[in-house]
């Protein structure tokens, strides 16, 4: 098959043992006896590969110290295969398919001995080492590899292994070659600083590898965020020569749409906090609109000026310019739809289209539009090459509502103003169809009940006993009654329909 085959050899079972010598623990090879290795040789080559536990592929080497039927794996390989020495493991011959060379390999680094050590790693030099030391080895995403470099032991996790022209699939694997482009990543907490990754400068688009949405005050939008980042930014981490090899065209625009109060503007404000380098330009439609003739078009043009300048002076090396256009419906209503007869909107839309995909089109721009009225937008804006990726920011589900409630009650909880009887899980269950903004409203309303209890109506000057302010479950239940969701009551709509239906049928 496309991902290699066992070459007709059924999988056998071998017994796991340790790597035969200490210095072999960093080769990433598996070791077997000189007799056993014959079962794994790729016909017509000197290489032997084994698919281990159906999970990853190791280059096998023969070693006199290993008895027949045994397979020597180092501690990290054993841990990844979930076996210990003495365990049985399934092993089968692996024959690499044609065109199996990796175009891109993304590796996450951490120290074997996690501690307080700090180290700078030169990406160019380490990449050369990896290509040399693991030449012809096969890397599978998720696989863990040990690596020694400048006296330090590293555990390397394969985050991405992309073969030229290979479609995305669950099993991503390929062979390390002299042409494999390698990007290194390291978590902030790892103590490893990767320097000199010049070519892959854009891979550091993100401030941290795992950004925490909750700490940014955004709840229930994890899935949407992964979508956004996969579609908008994933291709941007590739250096230009790799993108051209893989035939990737960057997404230049995306549209976030969904009902009011679901956190679109909130996201727009926070996306900048996740991006390295240039802050995104954030504008909103009404603010760009000008009553002066031609002024709005100029405002739109100005938005792109920096990106154009960068493209001119730096070309392919230009960094990414993110432009966030909140309430884009205000200026991008369908052409010809507005009745003022001036055609002003038409020329604004045209101006924007020109900037996105016209003759002077830019490759270093990502335009993110946001709206709660997608229906009003000019169709042309959503065609391929424009705001082509559309992500719906919908009302939060129960889990999302819980996250949002947690975010908005966090402060009072920290300061012990939240009564222990408050059950956020239950509140989340009872607030079907509430938007994020409405949930925030519920919290505000609950707080107002609690504060009100502390005020003496007879004497508003009486000092408030701060210590005893407690927002209780009761306050929240009152608040739910007070703040109703715009999108229908929280009772089960379907159930009600059914009852009404039965009523008509039987009467
Ligand atoms: N997913 C969420 N997580 C946490 N808070 C939220 C969320 N969604 C909304 N909120 C709260 O509601 C406020 C208003 O939301 P926001 O302005 O982002 O909505 P919007 O989607 O832009 O609405 P509109 O379509 O009306 O512009 C936010 O500032 C935030 O306090
Ligand atoms: Mg908004």
């Amino acid at each position: 098959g496309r991902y290699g085959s066992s070459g007709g050899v059924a999988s056998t079972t071998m017994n796991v043992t340790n790597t035969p010598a200490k210095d072999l623990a960093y080769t990433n090879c598996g070791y077997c006896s000189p007799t056993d290795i014959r079962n794994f040789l790729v016909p017509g080559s000197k290489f032997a590969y084994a698919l281990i536990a159906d999970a990853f592929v190791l280059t096998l080497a023969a070693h006199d110290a290993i008895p027949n039927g045994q397979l020597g794996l180092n501690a990290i390989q054993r841990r990844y295969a979930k076996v210990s020495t003495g365990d049985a493991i399934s092993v089968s011959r692996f024959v690499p398919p044609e065109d199996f060379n990796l175009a891109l390999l993304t590796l996450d680094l951490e120290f074997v001995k996690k501690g307080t050590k700090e180290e700078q790693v030169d990406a160019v030099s380490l990449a050369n080492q990896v290509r040399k030391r693991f030449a012809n080895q096969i890397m599978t995403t998720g696989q863990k590899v040990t690596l020694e470099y400048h006296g330090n032991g590293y555990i390397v996790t394969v985050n991405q292994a992309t073969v030229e022209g290979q479609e995305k699939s669950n099993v991503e694997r390929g062979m390390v070659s002299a042409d494999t482009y390698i990007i290194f990543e390291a978590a902030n907490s790892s103590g490893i600083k990767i320097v000199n990754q010049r070519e892959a400068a854009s891979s550091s688009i993100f401030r941290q590898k795992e950004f925490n949405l909750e700490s940014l005050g955004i709840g229930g939008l994890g899935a949407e965020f992964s979508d956004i980042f996969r579609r908008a930014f994933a291709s941007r981490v590739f250096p230009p020569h790799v993108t051209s090899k893989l035939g990737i065209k960057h997404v230049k625009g995306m549209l976030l749409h969904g009902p009011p109060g679901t956190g679109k503007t909130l996201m727009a404000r926070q996306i900048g906090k996740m991006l390295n380098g240039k802050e995104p330009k954030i504008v909103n439609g009404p603010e760009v609109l000008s009553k002066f003739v031609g002024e709005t078009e100029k405002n739109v043009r100005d938005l792109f000026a920096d990106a154009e300048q960068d493209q001119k002076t730096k070309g392919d090396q230009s960094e990414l310019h993110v432009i966030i256009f909140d309430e884009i419906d205000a200026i991008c209503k369908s052409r010809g739809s507005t009745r003022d007869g001036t055609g002003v909107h038409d020329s604004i839309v045209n101006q924007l289209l020109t900037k996105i995909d016209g003759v002077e089109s830019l490759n270093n721009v990502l335009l993110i539009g946001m709206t709660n009225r997608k229906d009003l937008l000019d169709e042309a804006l959503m065609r391929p090459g424009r705001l082509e990726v559309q992500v719906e920011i919908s009302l939060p589900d129960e889990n999302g509502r819980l996250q949002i409630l947690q975010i908005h009650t966090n402060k009072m909880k920290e300061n012990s103003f939240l009564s222990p009887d408050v059950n956020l899980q239950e509140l989340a269950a009872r607030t079907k169809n509430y938007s994020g903004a409405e949930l925030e409203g519920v919290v505000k309303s609950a707080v107002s009940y609690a504060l009100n209890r502390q005020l003496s109506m007879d004497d508003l000057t009486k000092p408030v006993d701060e210590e005893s302010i407690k927002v209780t479950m009761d306050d929240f239940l009152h608040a739910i009654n007070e703040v109703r969701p715009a999108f229908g009551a929280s009772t089960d709509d379907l159930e009600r329909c059914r009852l009404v239906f039965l009523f008509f049928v039987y009467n």
Side-chain angles (χ1 to χ4, degrees):
R2 196 149 48 100
Y3 304 108
S5 62
S6 57
V9 177
S11 84
T12 52
T13 305
M14 294 178 88
N15 279 322
V16 177
T17 181
N18 208 341
T19 308
K22 208 169 167 207
D23 59 316
L24 297 179
Y26 285 107
T27 60
N28 193 42
C29 293
Y31 292 88
C32 66
S33 74
T35 314
D36 282 346
I37 200 161
R38 291 190 214 132
N39 302 330
F40 297 96
L41 282 170
V42 174
S45 94
K46 60 179 181 145
F47 294 108
Y49 297 103
L51 176 64
I52 313 280
D54 243 349
F56 57 101
V57 177
L58 291 183
T59 300
L60 289 190
H63 199 285
D64 290 329
I66 305 265
N68 288 344
Q70 299 212 1
L71 178 68
L73 299 177
N74 71 31
I76 300 299
Q77 293 164 340
R78 293 198 301 268
R79 196 196 305 164
Y80 186 62
K82 298 197 184 73
V83 289
S84 318
T85 52
D87 287 355
I89 194 167
S90 81
V91 185
S92 52
R93 183 167 73 158
F94 182 87
V95 179
E98 300 263 296
D99 298 326
F100 202 46
N101 283 357
L102 286 166
L104 179 108
L105 190 60
T106 306
L107 302 175
D108 184 89
L109 297 181
E110 56 186 323
F111 288 123
V112 172
K113 293 201 181 73
K114 288 188 203 86
T116 48
K117 194 156 52 169
E118 306 255 318
E119 196 73 49
Q120 274 207 2
V121 171
D122 182 291
V124 173
S125 135
L126 183 58
N128 285 332
Q129 283 284 330
V130 167
R131 276 188 290 261
K132 211 164 85 197
R133 226 175 300 165
F134 299 140
N136 299 307
Q137 291 204 14
I138 293 166
M139 298 287 171
T140 306
T141 43
Q143 184 179 353
K144 300 214 183 268
V145 176
T146 44
L147 170 75
E148 191 178 35
Y149 179 67
H150 285 199
N152 286 311
Y154 292 93
I155 298 179
V156 176
T157 307
V158 179
N159 276 347
Q160 197 176 6
T162 311
V163 170
E164 232 169 285
Q166 177 185 286
E167 279 164 47
K168 256 209 136 20
S169 72
N170 312 350
V171 193
E172 267 196 325
R173 70 166 56 115
M175 193 180 286
V176 178
S177 83
D179 287 334
T180 301
Y181 186 80
I182 304 178
I183 291 174
F184 296 99
E185 298 178 335
N188 276 354
S189 55
S190 67
I192 300 167
K193 189 160 180 268
I194 292 153
V195 295
N196 207 9
Q197 195 145 254
R198 194 170 16 102
E199 263 192 308
S202 49
S203 77
S204 50
I205 289 176
F206 306 118
R207 219 172 280 269
Q208 292 151 296
K209 232 188 88 223
E210 308 122 63
F211 37 79
N212 183 344
L213 289 181
E214 204 142 347
S215 73
L216 292 172
I218 302 171
L221 293 174
E224 287 84 350
F225 250 88
S226 345
D227 269 3
I228 293 169
F229 282 100
R230 182 174 49 82
R231 294 303 307 274
F233 296 105
S235 71
R236 305 263 179 192
V237 309
F238 295 81
H241 78 260
V242 175
T243 39
S244 61
K245 255 195 198 169
L246 295 173
I248 294 176
K249 265 206 193 130
H250 299 308
V251 164
K252 287 198 264 180
M254 61 194 319
L255 182 71
L256 309 187
H257 62 95
T262 44
K264 297 181 293 299
T265 300
L266 180 65
M267 280 220 231
R269 277 193 249 115
Q270 301 293 54
I271 283 175
K273 298 216 173 115
M274 292 181 234
L275 299 174
N276 255 331
K278 276 217 164 45
E279 286 287 311
K281 280 207 173 72
I282 306 179
V283 290
N284 71 351
E287 163 191 307
V288 170
L289 268 185
S290 163
K291 59 181 189 291
F292 299 108
V293 175
E295 195 68 18
T296 309
E297 288 88 331
K298 180 175 178 304
N299 290 343
V300 169
R301 269 199 306 279
D302 286 350
L303 271 181
F304 293 85
D306 287 343
E308 279 165 357
Q309 187 58 36
D310 240 20
Q311 181 95 38
K312 246 186 229 138
T313 53
K314 300 194 197 129
D316 271 354
Q317 299 294 318
S318 159
E319 59 184 306
L320 178 66
H321 292 250
V322 178
I323 301 172
I324 297 177
F325 215 129
D326 202 0
E327 302 181 37
I328 196 169
D329 49 284
I331 68 153
C332 289
K333 294 206 177 69
S334 311
R335 281 168 287 186
S337 70
T338 40
R339 276 184 303 254
D340 57 5
T342 57
V344 167
H345 269 99
D346 299 13
S347 72
I348 299 168
V349 175
N350 286 333
Q351 180 68 80
L352 198 62
L353 291 179
T354 311
K355 285 298 167 199
I356 303 173
D357 71 352
V359 251
E360 320 157 60
S361 100
L362 299 161
N363 212 13
N364 60 345
V365 166
L366 174 69
L367 178 67
I368 304 179
M370 310 200 172
T371 181
N372 55 25
R373 291 303 305 274
K374 185 181 173 205
D375 55 309
L376 291 183
L377 288 190
D378 198 302
E379 280 289 328
L381 206 60
M382 291 180 260
R383 296 217 186 99
R386 299 166 180 175
L387 302 183
E388 59 187 314
V389 174
Q390 286 140 36
V391 177
E392 186 177 357
I393 309 293
S394 42
L395 291 172
D397 61 9
E398 187 169 328
N399 207 16
R401 293 196 295 273
L402 178 61
Q403 281 180 22
I404 295 170
L405 286 168
Q406 273 162 348
I407 286 167
H408 290 285
T409 54
N410 208 5
K411 255 259 153 52
M412 60 178 91
K413 192 168 170 198
E414 260 172 31
N415 298 310
S416 3
F417 288 147
L418 197 63
S419 159
D421 74 327
V422 173
N423 183 344
L424 294 182
Q425 185 74 62
E426 184 187 335
L427 290 168
R430 284 181 172 226
T431 43
K432 189 174 165 231
N433 289 339
Y434 280 70
S435 70
E438 283 156 351
L439 290 169
E440 190 188 11
V442 166
V443 174
K444 279 189 186 144
S445 160
V447 170
S448 75
Y449 282 112
L451 291 180
N452 199 46
R453 245 194 326 275
Q454 297 301 312
L455 293 179
S456 148
M457 281 304 159
D458 316 327
D459 181 6
L460 286 175
T461 60
K462 214 173 98 189
V464 173
D465 177 11
E466 275 179 38
E467 296 293 296
S468 60
I469 297 176
K470 283 274 184 269
V471 188
T472 64
M473 188 65 174
D474 236 20
D475 294 330
F476 275 100
L477 295 177
H478 281 124
I480 290 181
N481 273 324
E482 185 170 80
V483 180
R484 305 305 304 176
F487 284 84
S490 53
T491 43
D492 199 322
D493 305 333
L494 265 180
E495 181 62 13
R496 212 173 24 195
C497 285
R498 202 175 64 89
L499 290 178
V500 170
F501 174 75
L502 290 176
F503 179 83
F504 280 113
V505 168
Y506 293 105
N507 288 281

